[in-house]
């Protein structure tokens, strides 16, 4: 028996090669079947999917013992695990991770809609035997993921602003991890939704597009605060479908009018979503996808979790560093250069339209409306984040890192539209409002619409 | 004893693994599979196929056998053969075989690499019962045989050609399921001088093909 740990056998647990599961009943009659999922839980535990109350399940409950043979898909190295049943989980990170994988497998094997994960059977691994077999040489990996994670974290540490952090992250995913299609999303805890703040590798950026917690691979990763991977993409976990379903459930045409389409590959084969956490708090989600099946493995998951963890800590640090900066009045208001633009604000969801075009809603919409209103009343163009945080009218969520993210979102949306309104960053914590056209502000959500002309 | 309820589907584990970029450096990728076994079955097998075949008149291989000539041919057609036995302390042990031969009297002879299956062979020699499941990756047709006793014997010289033939069949099955040729070849590789055989007379047979009826016992 060779002493090996489960950590180094994770390649055999990816599901490339079916595993052999042996159990026995109380009378000593064995049962053997092929299984597609032996899920790595930690160094001492694996989980098997419980889908049907079959002979295997009866045996596990009766004797609590199992023997599993696993095969490495690259080297054909074969190991036998001796398992002791611990418990069945019907919710939580392990369950959701297995459920997503199973959905992918079901879709891939023509069993979509039939497979349903009833539980994740957790087993303690009491022995690991290396079995003699003809092995192939271990292929040279395309990249060193640990090195890529380390260098990405170093680059992140040099970033000074939230949007810079996001840009550095997604650029590094491309350069260092070979991930060409990625997104970063921030959570809005009050609404239970995530919104896209940065993306790479898509025809449209999708900045501002949203997904609800628990919906699609991104929403599940956020809700469970756990990485979720799918090696064979399935419509069940598509964010596009999730967003559309969400809109349908809300039953509003309005939601379609204010819905920013999600970016994303037309036919992704693999996806991974990892939560951006800090001290257990959910800050957002890092998402990547590929047209290649089984593109992301356990090691990719670890590397991206390292990057996301560092990113989360740095986002929190930025927030703590954001000192109060005194307000300044504008002395030089740029003269309007274009025809008057109607800016409408709908209080019901704080959506803001420039002319007939939807721009933004929610917290970012409220912020923009406040800035424009203040600018119209006093001529101010310079603001700081501290005053926004303290403004009760903005009803900001408690975790104020959302404010920075909302400002990034707002600035990017304005820039993408090439609008007559721009927000420019100044030194830390301060920003400047640029308005290059006459604006007509119309508060369309109040009892009596208020009009003012700049 | 049923291996699964009626009306429920089971996993189809031999999934197509997608691109094998991580195997690009491995020699032997250009090996061509046998054209005959490359014929794909677009429609997966169903448990009903085996169950309905047993409802009508069918010829048993021999008196008291759960096997038919057709099933016997399937077992020997070059498919995946996986095994289980039970140690005296009532713990199960998994094993894997290379090939299978069926005698006209209905007894089954499973051929396997000895070193990889030491624990399983020990369990059987100590009186453990046996379960053997035969699966065809191409269409997921799966049959499980069970017997309360088996014996371990040496492989015979006339087993070798049959092992080679069936391993080539299994290799081609894997390639047809999009596994890399180098992987498929290594998966079925064996050392001719280190083989054993397990002989048993199957008492019961179950259909384990995924789909409604999976786990049902085949009437004898």
């Amino acid at each position: 028996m060779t002493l090996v740990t489960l950590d180094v056998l994770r390649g055999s647990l990816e599901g490339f090669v079916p595993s052999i599961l042996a159990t026995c009943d109380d009378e000593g009659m064995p049962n053997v079947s092929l299984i597609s999922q032996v899920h790595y839980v930690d160094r001492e535990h694996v989980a098997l999917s419980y889908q049907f109350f079959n002979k295997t399940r009866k045996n596990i409950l009766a004797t609590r013992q199992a023997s599993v043979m696993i095969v490495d898909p690259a080297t054909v190295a074969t190991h036998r695990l001796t398992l002791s049943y611990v418990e069945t989980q019907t919710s939580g990170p392990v369950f959701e991770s297995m459920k997503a994988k199973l959905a992918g497998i079901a879709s891939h094997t023509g069993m979509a809609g039939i497979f349903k994960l009833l539980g994740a059977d957790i087993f303690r691994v009491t022995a690991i035997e290396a079995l003699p077999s003809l092995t192939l040489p271990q292929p040279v990996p395309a990249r060193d993921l640990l090195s890529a994670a380390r260098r990405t974290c170093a680059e992140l540490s040099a970033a000074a602003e939230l949007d810079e952090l996001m840009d550095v992250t997604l650029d590094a995913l491309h350069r260092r991890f070979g991930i060409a299609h990625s997104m970063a999303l921030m959570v809005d805890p009050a609404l239970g939704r995530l919104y896209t703040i940065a993306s790479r590798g898509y025809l449209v950026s999708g900045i501002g597009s949203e997904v609800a917690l628990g919906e699609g691979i991104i929403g599940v990763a956020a809700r469970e605060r756990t990485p979720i991977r799918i090696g064979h993409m399935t419509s069940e976990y598509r964010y596009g479908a999730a967003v559309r379903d969400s809109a349908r459930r809300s039953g509003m045409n309005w939601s379609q009018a204010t819905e920013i389409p999600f970016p994303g590959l037309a036919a992704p084969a693999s996806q991974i979503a990892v939560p951006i956490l800090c001290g257990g708090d959910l800050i957002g989600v890092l998402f990547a996808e590929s047209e290649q099946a089984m593109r992301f493995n356990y090691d990719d998951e670890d590397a991206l979790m390292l990057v996301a963890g560092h990113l989360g800590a740095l986002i929190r640090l930025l927030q703590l560093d954001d000192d109060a900066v005194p307000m300044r009045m504008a002395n030089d208001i740029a003269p309007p250069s274009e025809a008057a633009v109607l800016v409408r604000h709908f209080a019901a969801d704080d959506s803001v339209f420039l002319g007939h075009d939807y721009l933004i809603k929610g917290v970012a919409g409220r912020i923009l409306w406040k800035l424009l209103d203040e600018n119209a009343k006093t001529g101010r163009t310079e603001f700081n984040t501290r005053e926004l945080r303290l403004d009760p009218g903005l009803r900001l969520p408690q975790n104020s890192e959302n404010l920075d993210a909302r400002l990034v979102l707002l600035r990017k949306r304005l820039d993408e539209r090439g609008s007559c309104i721009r927000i420019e960053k100044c030194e830390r914590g301060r920003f400047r409002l640029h308005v290059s056209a006459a604006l007509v502000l119309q508060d369309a959500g109040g009892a009596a619409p208020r009009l003012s002309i700049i | 004893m049923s291996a699964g309820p009626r009306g429920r589907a089971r996993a189809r584990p031999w999934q197509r693994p997608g691109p094998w970029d991580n195997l690009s450096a491995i020699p032997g990728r250009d090996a061509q599979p046998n054209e005959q076994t490359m014929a794909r079955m677009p429609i997966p097998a169903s448990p009903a196929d085996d169950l309905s075949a047993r409802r009508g008149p069918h010829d048993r291989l021999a008196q008291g056998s759960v096997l038919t000539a057709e099933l016997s041919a399937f077992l020997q057609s070059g498919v995946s053969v996986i095994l289980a036995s039970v140690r005296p302390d009532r713990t199960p042990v998994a094993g894997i075989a290379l090939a299978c031969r069926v005698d006209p009297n209905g007894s089954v002879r499973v051929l396997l690499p000895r070193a990889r299956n030491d624990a399983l062979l020990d369990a059987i020699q100590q009186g453990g019962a046996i379960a053997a499941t035969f699966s065809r990756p191409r269409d997921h047709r799966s049959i499980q045989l069970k017997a309360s006793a088996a014996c371990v014997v040496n492989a015979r010289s006339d087993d070798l050609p049959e092992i080679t033939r069936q391993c080539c069949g299994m290799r081609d099955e894997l390639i047809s399921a999009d596994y890399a040729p180098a992987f498929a070849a290594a998966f079925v590789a064996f050392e001719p001088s280190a083989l054993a055989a397990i002989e048993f007379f199957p008492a019961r047979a179950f259909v384990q093909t995924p789909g409604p009826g999976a786990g049902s016992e085949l009437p004898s």
Side-chain angles (χ1 to χ4, degrees):
Chain A
M1 184 184 296
T2 305
L3 288 177
V4 291
T5 65
L6 206 53
D7 289 345
V8 299
L9 300 181
R10 295 191 303 178
S12 304
L13 307 180
E14 291 286 2
F16 276 108
V17 185
S19 302
I20 302 168
L21 171 62
T23 59
C24 66
D25 64 18
D26 273 336
E27 296 170 351
M29 180 56 72
N31 192 84
V32 63
S33 58
L34 290 170
I35 54 171
S36 50
Q37 272 207 91
V38 180
H39 184 83
Y40 173 86
V41 176
D42 58 37
R43 282 173 62 91
E44 296 177 343
H45 296 87
V46 294
L48 307 182
S49 67
Y50 158 38
Q51 298 174 59
F52 318 109
F53 193 77
N54 55 16
K55 184 64 185 169
T56 296
R57 174 75 177 164
K58 281 180 197 166
N59 287 352
I60 287 170
L61 294 181
T63 67
R64 306 177 78 87
Q65 305 292 326
S67 171
V68 168
M69 203 179 269
I70 58 176
V71 176
D72 187 293
T75 67
V76 201
T78 306
H79 291 81
R80 184 164 44 221
L81 313 180
T82 302
L83 307 183
S84 176
Y85 173 71
V86 177
E87 61 173 349
T88 298
Q89 297 180 357
T90 55
S91 63
V94 171
F95 177 83
E96 291 295 343
S97 183
M98 293 183 74
K99 186 178 164 190
K101 270 190 196 171
L102 181 66
I105 292 167
S107 169
H108 188 59
T109 53
M111 302 298 280
I114 296 175
F115 287 179
K116 185 185 178 190
L117 189 67
L118 299 177
D121 286 340
I122 310 292
F123 290 83
R124 191 161 61 85
V125 180
T126 59
I128 301 174
E129 298 166 78
L131 302 175
S133 58
L134 173 72
T135 55
L136 299 170
Q138 184 75 47
V140 176
R143 57 189 62 81
D144 184 323
L145 290 170
L146 195 57
S147 171
R150 173 192 165 175
R151 290 173 203 291
T152 301
C153 289
E155 287 176 3
L156 280 172
S157 296
E161 301 284 351
L162 179 65
D163 54 345
E164 193 183 352
L165 277 176
M166 295 303 186
D167 288 343
V168 168
T169 302
L170 299 192
D171 288 344
L173 289 190
H174 192 190
R175 276 185 297 113
R176 301 196 181 283
F177 293 84
I179 293 172
H181 309 284
S182 61
M183 298 178 214
L185 299 95
M186 300 290 284
V187 68
D188 183 330
L191 292 178
R193 298 183 74 80
L194 297 131
Y195 53 94
T196 308
I197 194 171
S199 69
R200 288 291 183 281
Y202 302 108
L203 287 176
V204 292
S205 76
I207 300 295
S209 53
E210 296 182 6
V211 64
L213 284 180
E215 287 189 308
I217 181 171
I218 293 169
V220 173
R223 187 189 66 198
E224 301 297 332
R225 290 162 166 73
T226 195
I228 301 286
R229 281 189 290 138
I230 295 187
H232 300 285
M233 203 47 219
T234 163
S235 57
E236 189 179 337
Y237 280 83
R238 285 261 173 86
Y239 42 72
V243 170
R244 283 193 298 278
D245 290 348
S246 173
R248 271 199 296 273
R249 274 196 297 277
S250 68
M252 296 186 300
N253 289 330
W254 181 253
S255 71
Q256 290 163 7
T258 61
E259 179 182 315
I260 299 168
F262 232 97
L265 297 174
S270 307
Q271 295 187 333
I272 182 169
V274 302
I276 303 169
L277 302 169
C278 186
D281 294 335
L282 177 70
I283 292 173
V285 167
L286 208 53
F287 168 80
E289 62 183 339
S290 168
E291 286 161 338
Q292 177 186 334
M294 305 291 275
R295 165 63 178 80
F296 307 108
N297 59 27
Y298 280 108
D299 290 340
D300 290 299
E301 181 183 308
D302 282 355
L304 291 184
M305 280 296 281
L306 277 176
V307 171
H310 195 63
L311 178 62
L314 290 172
I315 291 172
R316 179 61 56 81
L317 269 180
L318 278 183
Q319 170 206 339
L320 297 174
D321 280 356
D322 197 5
D323 295 326
V325 178
M327 281 184 283
R328 287 195 305 193
M329 297 298 291
N331 295 321
D332 53 343
I333 301 172
S337 62
E338 299 172 14
V341 174
L342 177 64
V343 183
R344 290 180 297 163
H345 170 245
F346 294 85
D349 61 356
D350 286 303
S351 55
V352 175
F353 286 70
L354 299 185
H356 295 292
D357 298 332
Y358 167 70
L359 176 69
I360 199 85
K361 67 181 175 184
V363 175
R366 280 204 294 279
I367 291 171
L368 177 62
W369 189 247
K370 174 194 163 56
L371 300 181
L372 293 177
D373 188 54
E374 185 87 8
N375 180 270
K377 286 174 181 168
T378 68
R380 269 185 74 195
T381 58
E382 290 201 9
F383 301 86
N384 66 66
T385 51
R386 180 173 170 78
E387 66 173 302
L388 296 183
R389 285 201 181 99
L390 297 176
D391 186 335
L394 288 178
R395 307 191 304 279
L396 293 176
Q398 285 297 310
N399 21 354
S400 50
E401 66 266 17
N402 270 294
L403 175 58
D404 299 323
R406 294 296 184 180
L407 286 171
V408 171
L409 170 64
L410 180 55
R411 184 170 57 75
K412 287 189 175 181
R413 282 289 290 167
L414 288 167
D415 288 349
E416 279 185 354
R417 287 201 73 257
S419 97
C420 56
I421 304 168
R422 285 190 303 111
I423 290 176
E424 180 186 278
K425 285 188 297 184
C426 302
E427 58 266 44
R428 179 167 289 184
R430 293 169 55 186
F431 56 93
R432 184 178 289 120
L433 179 71
H434 288 275
V435 179
S436 58
L439 302 181
V440 177
L441 303 185
Q442 182 182 24
D443 198 343
R450 175 172 55 82
L451 293 175
S452 59
I453 298 176
I454 301 173
Chain B
M1 190 181 310
S2 166
R6 282 181 179 274
R8 288 282 179 81
R10 291 174 46 82
R12 299 185 185 278
W14 291 106
Q15 53 177 309
R16 298 181 190 281
W20 283 71
D21 284 2
N22 58 342
L23 290 179
S24 57
I26 293 174
R29 284 183 60 117
D30 297 334
Q32 292 302 309
N34 181 311
E35 287 295 326
Q36 211 167 10
T37 55
M38 275 295 285
R40 296 193 179 180
M41 289 190 177
I43 302 172
S46 161
D49 301 340
D50 279 295
L51 291 171
S52 59
R54 288 297 179 103
R55 287 197 189 100
H58 57 277
D59 293 328
R60 279 181 294 181
L61 199 61
Q63 183 68 29
S65 173
V66 295
L67 303 179
T68 61
E70 191 280 331
L71 192 50
S72 168
F74 171 72
L75 303 183
Q76 300 175 90
S77 64
V79 294
S80 155
V81 185
I82 59 173
L83 307 168
S85 187
V86 183
R87 299 183 181 94
D89 66 358
R90 291 288 169 91
T91 56
V93 56
I96 188 165
L98 298 164
C100 165
R101 302 184 76 178
V102 182
D103 284 349
N105 71 355
S107 76
V108 171
R109 179 178 171 82
V110 172
L111 300 149
L112 65 169
R114 192 178 280 278
R116 210 185 305 179
N117 292 285
D118 267 352
L120 178 97
L121 295 170
D122 282 351
I124 287 173
Q125 283 176 320
Q126 293 181 72
I130 187 168
T133 294
F134 303 78
S135 301
R136 185 161 57 192
R138 196 180 351 158
D139 62 353
H140 307 286
R141 184 187 182 191
S142 299
I143 299 290
Q144 181 167 214
L145 305 178
K146 294 192 180 186
S148 57
C151 62
V152 176
V153 297
N154 288 324
R156 302 191 303 250
S157 59
D158 67 329
D159 288 330
L160 272 180
E162 189 58 17
I163 294 173
T164 302
R165 184 187 68 80
Q166 292 187 29
C167 282
C168 286
M170 179 59 185
R171 179 202 65 192
D172 293 349
E173 282 284 338
L174 291 173
I175 293 171
S176 75
D178 288 348
Y179 286 85
F183 171 86
F187 189 77
V188 299
F190 63 93
E191 171 54 56
S193 62
L195 299 171
I198 299 171
E199 292 180 347
F200 63 98
F201 192 86
R204 306 177 77 174
F206 303 86
V207 58
Q208 282 198 299
T209 309
S216 300
E217 183 166 6
L218 290 175
S220 54

